Amino acid sequence: MFTIFPGMVDGFASLSLLGKARERGLLDVRVHDLRSVATDPHRSVDDTPYGGGAGMVLMPEPIFAAVEAAAPPRPLLLLGPGGRTLTQAVARDLAVLDGFSLLCGRYEGVDERVRTHLVDGELSIGDYVLAGGEVAAMVVLEAVGRLVPGVMGNDASAGDESFSDGLLEYPQYTKPADFRGLTVPEILRSGDHGRIARWRRAQALRRTLARRADLVASRGGLSDEEQRLLEEFPAPG
Ligand code: SAH
């Protein structure tokens, strides 16, 4: 990862899930400071835009020099609002690679020649504008990192959750069974694992239909079997 704020990303990647995965050698995260290769006394990395306008633009020289010195794993992806949007499917594609690299912009962005002649693609985390690519890089790192085999304590949990099969996740409950009169659905305590699995699938379908009908539409609507599941477990009330 290339950034002018290495401390931001390094701190984040040293804690919790990612930190443990790095300690165990499951993930190798390297953070390169774009300023370290700047040659002038002020270590400047940005300058005013040609043609005028507000703000500063990251210069090509320090970025090319930092990338060439590090020879990082490719693809090298520039973080930016104009990129391909990060989805669970994109995260899965990145997780199976041997490695990849991220370049964080700042200020008004990066010189266009970085985009056209240095990076291999561009990645966005959504349709809004951040002040820099660092938070976006952390989002990518966490979404991808937890898909790397062994990083999550229980590998099955990544297969069951939201988006893994184009649906949102079913509702989850833990103890106590009765919390202030709010009870856990009886079926989850029944021990009938086949029925529990069908109930969960029906809940995931119902929830996705209610909140993200677009996700159901994009996987081609409901199959006959899914229709039957919804009939087997009608909506309460
Ligand atoms: N002027 C640019 C925005 C620059 S924001 C424009 O209009 O497109 C500064 C930096 O923040 C960008 O270079 C990029 O690295 C990062 N950034 C901003 N929004 C982002 C997003 N949605 N996803 C990923 N990175 C983003």
Side-chain angles (χ1 to χ4, degrees), residues 40-92:
D40 70 301
H42 297 106
R43 304 205 146 188
S44 26
V45 289
D46 57 308
D47 212 327
T48 53
Y50 274 113
M56 303 295 273
V57 175
L58 287 178
M59 298 188 290
E61 180 63 41
I63 300 179
F64 272 75
V67 169
E68 282 157 3
R74 297 274 180 161
L76 169 60
L77 304 172
L78 173 65
L79 292 157
R84 178 180 181 205
T85 308
L86 180 70
T87 60
Q88 192 64 16
V90 172
R92 267 197 298 268

Side-chain angles (χ1 to χ4, degrees), residues 58 78-83 103-110 115 122-137 140:
L58 287 178
L78 173 65
L79 292 157
L103 170 59
C104 304
R106 270 273 150 188
Y107 313 116
E108 285 308 308
V110 300
R115 184 176 284 123
E122 211 172 331
L123 199 55
S124 166
I125 63 160
D127 288 346
Y128 37 79
V129 180
L130 303 165
E134 287 75 14
V135 169
V140 175

Side-chain angles (χ1 to χ4, degrees), residues 79-154:
L79 292 157
R84 178 180 181 205
T85 308
L86 180 70
T87 60
Q88 192 64 16
V90 172
R92 267 197 298 268
D93 288 348
L94 290 173
V96 299
L97 298 177
D98 284 336
F100 65 95
S101 305
L102 299 171
L103 170 59
C104 304
R106 270 273 150 188
Y107 313 116
E108 285 308 308
V110 300
D111 186 283
E112 183 66 14
R113 289 162 289 189
V114 168
R115 184 176 284 123
T116 53
H117 286 86
L118 185 64
V119 303
D120 305 302
E122 211 172 331
L123 199 55
S124 166
I125 63 160
D127 288 346
Y128 37 79
V129 180
L130 303 165
E134 287 75 14
V135 169
M138 292 187 248
V139 170
V140 175
L141 204 58
E142 189 157 292
V144 174
R146 63 196 290 287
L147 296 177
V148 170
V151 168
M152 298 268 282
N154 169 9

